[in-house]
Amino acid sequence: MANVGVFDVLGPIMIGPSSSHTAGAARLGKFAKTIVDHEIKEVTFLLHGSFAKTYKGHGTDRALVAGILGMNPDDTRLRYSLDLAKEQGIQIEFVPTDLGDAHPNTVKFVITDMDGRIWEILGSSLGGGLVEIREINGNKVQITGEYQTIITNNDDVPGTLAKISGLLYEAGINVASMKSVRSQKGKGATMTFELDHPVSPETIEEIKQIEGVNRVITINPVGGTIDETC
């Protein structure tokens, strides 16, 4: 779990009323949008714990949709996100549910893109605007946004981890944490690198050129942006 300091508790720059229920929710929505990286047709938000109980009163519904639309927590349009989603033809549904042993402020996004693919992304708002993505399509991940982060989608073949690590080493970038998960042996794999330093566009381009790497996402630290690089 991320460490939350006194200034985090005081809250980030945001459209209120709650750093956990609005700012964190908006960041979770934007993470989900970036991971999907396709035009979105519909989203079902499975709301757990306090998200399920107070999502209308605390603006969690509007914040989650704002993130799906690509807004940051301080975007004044957040208040009207439900209407904006309707104007864009995105179908939205909120379903209070029980996600088991999950953080009280947890949401599972079930997203259908325009190509008919379904994405399931589980994330939690930890307080003070801090968030963590914990699952992508059944694969366990740990993406906090506290560090410069690279997420790769790649073929499950020997040597890919070594090649990416080698490029980061050559660029003088230290890896704070790394996690690799796969859906099935010999199929697709997802690797997450949290880094101590920013990654140059040149290094990202080199990672993209590694055989078997199909997609690269970069996530800047909290307060920054989320970028799709291929």
Side-chain angles (χ1 to χ4, degrees):
M1 179 178 291
N3 293 322
V4 181
V6 61
F7 293 107
D8 297 314
V9 173
L10 289 174
I13 298 173
M14 64 177 191
I15 302 299
S18 167
S19 61
S20 294
H21 288 247
T22 47
R27 284 190 59 80
L28 287 171
K30 193 168 183 181
F31 275 146
K33 172 183 172 62
T34 304
I35 291 166
V36 170
D37 185 43
H38 288 82
E39 189 174 353
I40 293 174
K41 179 180 180 181
E42 59 185 71
V43 186
T44 298
F45 301 90
L46 303 180
L47 305 172
H48 172 79
S50 59
F51 267 12
K53 296 176 182 176
T54 63
Y55 69 95
K56 291 184 179 179
H58 283 176
T60 305
D61 50 355
R62 288 170 287 170
L64 288 168
V65 173
I68 288 292
L69 296 177
M71 299 180 198
N72 289 321
D74 60 349
D75 195 317
T76 57
R77 296 175 298 164
L78 184 151
R79 300 184 179 93
Y80 317 109
S81 62
L82 296 176
D83 292 332
L84 293 173
K86 186 175 182 179
E87 290 174 6
Q88 294 183 28
I90 301 175
Q91 299 178 40
I92 300 295
E93 183 180 11
F94 298 94
V95 180
T97 191
D98 185 354
L99 294 173
D101 186 21
H103 187 282
N105 300 328
T106 294
V107 56
K108 186 172 187 177
F109 302 86
V110 181
I111 300 173
T112 303
D113 67 26
M114 286 298 185
D115 294 326
R117 288 172 294 196
I118 297 176
W119 304 73
E120 295 189 358
I121 301 165
L122 183 75
S124 301
S125 178
L126 307 178
L130 302 181
V131 301
E132 185 174 82
I133 297 295
R134 296 178 167 172
E135 189 175 301
I136 301 174
N137 290 342
N139 296 318
K140 301 294 183 182
V141 297
Q142 190 174 11
I143 306 168
T144 65
E146 288 189 271
Y147 294 89
Q148 182 82 25
T149 303
I150 296 175
I151 306 171
T152 67
N153 177 265
N154 48 272
D155 300 335
D156 181 30
V157 295
T160 306
L161 172 58
K163 291 175 182 177
I164 295 175
S165 299
L167 289 175
L168 295 174
Y169 169 77
E170 291 174 5
I173 297 171
N174 189 52
V175 177
S177 70
M178 184 273 162
K179 188 177 182 69
S180 178
V181 295
R182 63 186 182 186
S183 56
Q184 185 179 344
K185 184 177 180 180
K187 301 295 184 180
T190 300
M191 292 192 288
T192 305
F193 299 82
E194 291 191 317
L195 310 170
D196 285 337
H197 307 93
V199 186
S200 70
E202 292 75 18
T203 298
I204 292 295
E205 186 62 31
E206 289 182 286
I207 293 173
K208 287 164 57 179
Q209 297 306 314
I210 294 174
E211 184 176 0
V213 172
N214 304 311
R215 185 179 174 210
V216 180
I217 296 171
T218 60
I219 300 175
N220 292 326
V222 170
T225 58
I226 307 171
D227 302 310
E228 173 60 41
T229 59
C230 74

